[in-house]
């Protein structure tokens, strides 16, 4: 039988993306689901691969399809699939875990020792294409009142939820969020659902600083043009209870340590381009700071869909730009250059 083809967007070199035909994926396991991709969100990590061809030791072998934030409609299911049905719309956890290892058995699927992540070089091709196969365990049904765009946004929002949860009890607490990109904003949205006390948020880009304020931060500052640590210290002389580092920079890790009150917690979700990050360990030690790393979004996609569906969070304003499939190269260029005040660019694969 002749192989069926679909459209896909391939990275073909540094800052190069090409639209080409690809073989259409097929169900392989009885637990697989074939999904008709509707909307894909562009992520900072896709841009890392586009710009530098790698994240740490993950190196792109060209040509390669990236993308891991998406929603779609179920086209076909394997014999053992019970949680989703043909025709249903789904939000997707881009992680595929083994369900066997010590981590999976302990409910830590996100640190599964045999994990495969969508659109991760050397693992599996991503979702910037028309159809894709995922394990049923990674698929979550979406109610009709949630749009395909909102369903795709459930992925980054689920990281915000997981990040916020790792920050511990934050009700009534003083919180810093360093970095007002999509993950910082999703963390903010999740903090608001928990009745956070006061949120101080910073970024380098003036448009993002402004956006963070409209998105609900109590105080915003530009760390390029202001001494944000000194200004926050004036308002909070005792320091902050939790700081979420959402920029992946050395400076923001340093700022986090400085901003925290003794006994505070630094939650690091930003992915740095450099291999090593350091901290002034004496300051961290004297304050007895807890250093918490964040990996992916354990079991948070379903709660993300629920909160979007119920209106508990309103994330639509984050989706500042919309592109069709043919405009994918322009979308990469825009997001890579942080142009036009872009927060989140969404690709409608059907257009
Ligand atoms: Zn992402
Ligand atoms: Zn596992």
């Amino acid at each position: 039988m002749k192989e069926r083809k679909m459209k896909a967007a391939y990275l073909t070199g540094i800052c190069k993306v090409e639209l080409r035909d690809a073989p259409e994926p097929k169900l392989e396991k009885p637990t697989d689901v074939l999904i008709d991709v509707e909307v894909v969100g562009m992520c900072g990590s896709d841009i890392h691969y586009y710009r530098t061809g790698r994240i740490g030791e993950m190196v792109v072998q060209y040509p390669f399809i990236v993308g891991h934030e998406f929603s779609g409609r179920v086209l076909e299911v394997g014999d053992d699939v019970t949680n989703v049905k043909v025709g249903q719309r789904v939000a997707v956890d881009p992680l595929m875990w083994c369900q066997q290892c010590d981590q999976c058995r302990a409910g830590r699927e996100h640190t599964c020792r045999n994990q495969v992540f969508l659109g991760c070089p050397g693992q599996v091709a991503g979702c910037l294409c028309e159809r894709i196969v995922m394990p049923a365990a990674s698929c979550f049904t979406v109610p009709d009142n949630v749009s395909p765009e909102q369903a795709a946004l459930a992925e980054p929002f689920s990281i915000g939820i997981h990040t916020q949860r790792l920050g511990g009890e934050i009700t009534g607490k003083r919180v810093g969020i360093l970095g007002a990109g999509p993950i910082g904003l999703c963390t903010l949205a999740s903090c608001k659902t928990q009745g956070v006390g006061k949120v101080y948020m910073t970024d380098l880009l003036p448009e993002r600083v402004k956006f963070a304020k409209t998105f609900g931060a109590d105080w915003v500052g530009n760390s390029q043009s202001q001494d944000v640590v000194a200004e926050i210290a004036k308002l909070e002389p005792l320091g902050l209870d939790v700081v979420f580092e959402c920029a992946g920079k050395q400076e923001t890790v340093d700022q986090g340590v400085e901003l925290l009150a003794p006994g505070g917690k630094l939650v690091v979700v930003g992915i740095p381009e450099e291999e090593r990050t350091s901290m002034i360990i004496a300051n961290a030690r004297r304050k007895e700071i807890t250093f918490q790393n964040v990996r992916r979004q354990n079991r948070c996609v379903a709660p993300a869909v629920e909160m979007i569906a119920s209106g508990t969070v309103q994330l639509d304003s984050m989706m500042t730009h919309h592109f069709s499939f043919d405009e994918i190269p322009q979308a990469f260029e825009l997001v890579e250059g942080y142009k036009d005040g872009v927060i989140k660019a969404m690709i409608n694969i059907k257009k």
Side-chain angles (χ1 to χ4, degrees):
M1 209 172 89
K2 224 180 112 216
E3 202 170 51
R4 286 177 58 194
K5 298 277 188 196
M6 65 170 179
K7 294 187 292 180
Y10 285 91
L11 295 188
T12 55
I14 299 291
C15 290
K16 271 194 209 143
V17 52
E18 279 177 40
L19 308 179
R20 297 181 180 175
D21 280 347
E24 181 151 331
K26 292 187 206 85
L27 298 187
E28 272 161 28
K29 297 188 197 126
T31 48
D32 279 347
V33 175
L34 177 68
I35 302 167
D36 195 28
V37 180
E38 290 182 321
V39 170
V40 178
M42 299 277 302
C43 175
S45 63
D46 302 329
I47 296 300
H48 271 283
Y49 292 127
Y50 172 75
R51 184 196 296 135
T52 65
R54 63 190 300 160
I55 294 178
E57 73 276 21
M58 307 302 231
V59 180
V60 177
Q61 302 295 317
Y62 301 110
F64 184 65
I65 307 173
V66 289
H68 56 268
E69 303 180 2
F70 81 103
S71 69
R73 196 176 283 277
V74 175
L75 283 180
E76 211 182 316
V77 297
D79 289 343
D80 295 350
V81 174
T82 53
N83 61 325
V84 295
K85 293 193 187 78
V86 171
Q88 279 183 328
R89 288 175 46 236
V90 287
V92 177
D93 186 333
L95 183 73
M96 292 159 245
W97 57 93
C98 78
Q99 304 185 5
Q100 316 273 323
C101 73
D102 61 329
Q103 297 294 302
C104 286
R105 286 200 308 264
R108 293 185 52 90
E109 293 90 343
H110 60 309
T111 50
C112 169
R113 293 177 193 271
N114 308 304
Q115 64 178 266
V116 173
F117 195 78
L118 201 61
C120 201
Q123 298 185 6
V124 64
C127 61
L128 272 171
C129 57
E130 289 182 290
R131 278 169 285 283
I132 196 156
V133 168
M134 289 297 296
S138 302
C139 300
F140 300 88
T141 55
V142 166
D144 290 340
N145 70 326
V146 173
S147 73
E149 282 79 12
Q150 290 171 323
L153 209 55
E155 196 277 341
F157 181 49
S158 69
I159 296 174
I161 297 171
H162 183 52
T163 301
Q164 173 261 305
R165 288 179 179 178
L166 287 173
E169 175 60 52
I170 55 155
T171 307
K173 296 281 174 72
R174 302 154 299 183
V175 164
I177 300 178
L178 311 180
I183 296 301
L185 295 166
C186 285
T187 303
L188 169 63
S190 186
C191 285
K192 295 287 243 186
T193 68
Q194 300 302 304
V196 66
K198 213 160 181 200
V199 178
Y200 297 83
M201 202 156 177
T202 67
D203 203 278
L204 295 169
L205 301 172
E207 319 85 75
R208 290 198 169 179
V209 172
K210 214 189 282 170
F211 189 88
K213 184 82 191 170
T214 64
F215 209 68
D218 298 289
W219 182 96
V220 292
N222 187 322
S223 42
Q224 189 99 289
S225 56
Q226 296 165 257
D227 183 346
V228 290
V229 171
E231 290 189 37
I232 296 171
K234 256 186 253 161
L235 300 164
E236 295 291 352
L238 297 179
L240 304 179
D241 302 301
V242 182
V243 171
F244 297 99
E245 195 283 323
C246 305
K249 301 281 186 227
Q250 177 65 60
E251 300 90 282
T252 36
V253 169
D254 289 335
Q255 289 164 0
V257 172
E258 283 193 60
L259 285 167
L260 283 168
K265 195 170 196 181
L266 180 63
V267 182
V268 177
V269 64
I271 301 176
E273 277 183 359
E274 299 76 32
E275 202 174 354
R276 275 174 187 268
T277 306
S278 62
M279 63 174 70
I280 301 176
I281 202 72
N283 294 352
R285 184 183 61 78
R286 286 192 194 110
K287 290 185 186 174
E288 203 178 52
I289 281 167
T290 302
F291 182 59
Q292 170 74 57
N293 283 278
V294 180
R295 175 76 158 155
R296 313 209 188 282
Q297 61 249 79
N298 200 27
R299 300 185 175 188
C300 289
V301 175
V305 170
E306 259 172 52
M307 281 189 237
I308 291 169
S310 64
T312 306
V313 290
Q314 252 307 335
L315 307 174
D316 289 1
S317 60
M318 273 178 65
M319 298 188 278
T320 50
H321 292 72
H322 297 267
F323 294 91
S324 67
F325 181 84
D326 290 338
E327 294 165 339
I328 289 174
Q330 289 96 296
F332 271 93
E333 222 191 291
L334 177 101
V335 180
E336 200 275 327
Y338 298 103
K339 291 176 190 164
D340 198 28
V342 63
I343 304 285
K344 198 89 201 161
M346 311 301 287
I347 318 280
N348 191 323
I349 299 291
K350 297 278 162 206
K351 283 190 186 158

